[in-house]
Amino acid sequence: MSKMQFLWTALGLTTLGFLLIWYGASFQEIILWLGLIVFSVGLLLGPLSRFLAKSETREGEGKSGGE
Amino acid sequence: MTLQEPTVLTNILYWLLAIVPIVVLLVLLVVLRWTAAQAGPVGFFVAAIIALLFFQTPVFTLGVATAKGFWDAIFILYIVWTALLLYEVVREAGVFTVFQREIAAFTPNRLVQFLAFSLVFVLFLQATAGFGTPIAVVAPLLVGLGIKPLYAVSLALIGHVWGNTFGSLAISWIALNLVVEVNQPTIVLFSSALLLALGVVFSILTLIWVFGGRRALRDGWLLVVIFGAVYGLGQLAIAPIVPELAAIVPAAIALGVIFLVPRIGRYSEPGEADVRDEILSDGWGGGKAAEGAEREAGEERRLPSLLVGFVPYIGLVIFAVLGLLLTELVEPLGQLQLGFGFPAVTTGFNVVNEAEDVYSGLNPIGHPGSYILLSAILGYIVFTRGGYIQVDDTRDLLRRTAGNAVPPSVAIIGFLTLAQVLDHSGQTFAIAQGIAEVTPPVLFAATAVFIGILGAFITSSNTASNILFGPLQSQAATSLGIGDGTVLGGQMAGGAFGNAIAPANVALGTGTAGISGREGAVLRITLIWTAVAGVLGAIAIVLLQLIVQ
């Protein structure tokens, strides 16, 4: 997976995790646990992308140069 | 967050544990140069583990804190995504190329051109829209002017500090009053405005110095006096009487003043001091942001006039003012709130967070993201009708927007969930209480400034810093017998200074300036500025404290 794919997946999983946590907090606690796991896996992809992602230029990168 | 009774949170072990997530975050960002999207989540996990293992935080509380943090992030991401869309629309139309070519018509003096954006437009956006809007909007404009993205983001962060406390109709002050019964409101307002006046002078001096060093300072001293007086004295005069107008009125006056500045002899021609090469990408007016458009221009593409190119920004100002008026004057519109409800949660140390029907409701009429979205749509319509953007390019434009928005989005989610976990577990309280307990009474007002800075660093918001630490500062002032005026004033101003290093703001700027991943480099610049501003503010507030006593 590329770094961008990691981050897109992170965004998707954290969003799903948020919805599950909210539902779980309001209605059924076990769903909150599930949501927290999904959210954590999603967020973990951020730092994991540093080590596991194939290096590539992301979308639009370099549009403004380095510094 | 409330604490029902004193707990074991206030001892050195808990204090050390509580600062671990912040130290980890700083080390990863500043020392090891991880990107914000990588460091933010690590900070969250460290805070969550410490909360579960040492701060008796149930998983249920951790979950609710996480969800609230995510919702806080949505609030900011609405600005990030729309600001990036606006940037792409403007860039696609070649506006930056036009902007670079024609800015000289406004004034040949580059220092004035530079301050018009890095200070005056930044502070107008902060006073009206706030919530990071000026950084997201102006950083790319400075890049278009030719400034390196690293400096463009850092300078926008330093330039926007003054407008934080009383911007958006003094929302930070209003929030403080919701959580604290303020005993000395006039002193709070006066002392915070005084510190912000010092802050804005320091901001202007920094901007001018970065622009052209000592020569620029010699050239620009009159601008320091003019804008220092408009912003600093203006706010100082208005804040104790009508705090809601203490940022917007001086910011609007300054917007008028900048158009008059080129009529002053020395600023009607190119200055003696020129911009330093170190901060330029490729010469003045040669920002790489415009290269794409430049290439396209070479392929016989039509370019808009400067006025047409600026339609989205003019629209942004109008939408922001309209939004502000509508939400203030039309009650049903002001009360509109989208959001999620959450139950009450607690920890084993009695850190209680009450249930909320709608947590941190998002008002689509009053949210800056809506103003930016409308300006982007307005720009798109004007530019496609004028033939400056081809409809066929829309898909690419949207794809670039999404691609650039994802890294800062993950970072901001990490930072804001981290902030809520620290808050809900009592770690934030432990940090601030520890600082307050070891500080002598005479120096507590000085410490208050740094607690305010810390709050803004943790939460990326002056308002949230006041909500988080206002009660603690007030309690500490009362127990030390020093009155809450200068202490809460220091908190409010500190919260504003801390916005220059707020990780979410930094990620927002790097995202829109196209240097996602270089948050540590930005922080290395703004951390120094904030530390110096904090020390200046601390000295000033202690002197004021001695006078008040």
Side-chain angles (χ1 to χ4, degrees), chain B residues 110-190:
Chain B
R110 291 175 175 176
L111 179 60
V112 177
Q113 295 172 12
F114 169 72
L115 286 180
F117 291 95
S118 62
L119 183 76
V120 177
F121 195 40
V122 159
L123 284 179
F124 185 78
L125 288 179
Q126 182 58 33
T128 48
F131 302 101
T133 309
I135 301 150
V137 172
V138 178
L141 278 174
L142 289 174
V143 173
L145 208 56
I147 309 285
K148 285 179 180 168
L150 174 64
Y151 290 101
V153 178
S154 307
L155 295 175
L157 282 162
I158 289 168
H160 97 296
V161 160
W162 170 86
N164 268 283
T165 300
F166 296 103
S168 308
L169 297 181
I171 189 168
S172 298
W173 163 245
I174 293 165
L176 182 71
N177 280 272
L178 292 177
V179 293
V180 169
E181 196 175 323
V182 180
N183 296 317
Q184 300 173 309
T186 309
I187 298 177
V188 175
L189 293 165
F190 180 82

Side-chain angles (χ1 to χ4, degrees), chain B residues 188-274:
Chain B
V188 175
L189 293 165
F190 180 82
S191 55
S192 57
L194 180 70
L195 262 60
L196 290 168
L198 291 174
V200 77
V201 170
F202 185 41
S203 290
I204 302 169
L205 287 170
T206 308
L207 293 174
I208 295 179
W209 184 76
V210 172
F211 173 86
R214 280 187 194 168
R215 272 192 171 180
L217 284 172
R218 266 204 306 274
D219 261 11
W221 69 268
L222 189 57
L223 296 172
V224 181
V225 174
I226 291 172
F227 287 105
V230 171
Y231 291 119
L233 297 181
Q235 190 164 79
L236 204 55
I238 299 170
I241 306 162
V242 200
E244 289 82 356
L245 300 180
I248 197 165
V249 170
I253 292 172
L255 204 58
V257 169
I258 194 70
F259 283 99
L260 300 176
V261 164
R263 295 188 186 180
I264 301 171
R266 63 161 63 200
Y267 301 121
S268 63
E269 49 199 49
E272 209 179 289
D274 206 355

Side-chain angles (χ1 to χ4, degrees), chain B residues 407-452:
Chain B
S409 301
V410 175
I412 288 165
I413 290 168
F415 291 138
L416 294 181
T417 49
L418 160 67
Q420 287 293 354
V421 170
L422 289 176
D423 176 44
H424 280 58
S425 63
Q427 292 179 72
T428 305
F429 178 85
I431 298 169
Q433 185 74 1
I435 296 169
E437 285 202 354
V438 297
T439 309
V442 70
L443 290 179
F444 186 72
T447 311
V449 176
F450 289 99
I451 293 178

Side-chain angles (χ1 to χ4, degrees), chain A residues 37-55:
Chain A
I37 291 167
V38 172
F39 183 90
S40 299
V41 171
L43 211 52
L44 200 57
L45 293 178
L48 280 182
S49 69
R50 184 176 184 85
F51 306 106
L52 303 178
K54 287 183 207 162
S55 65

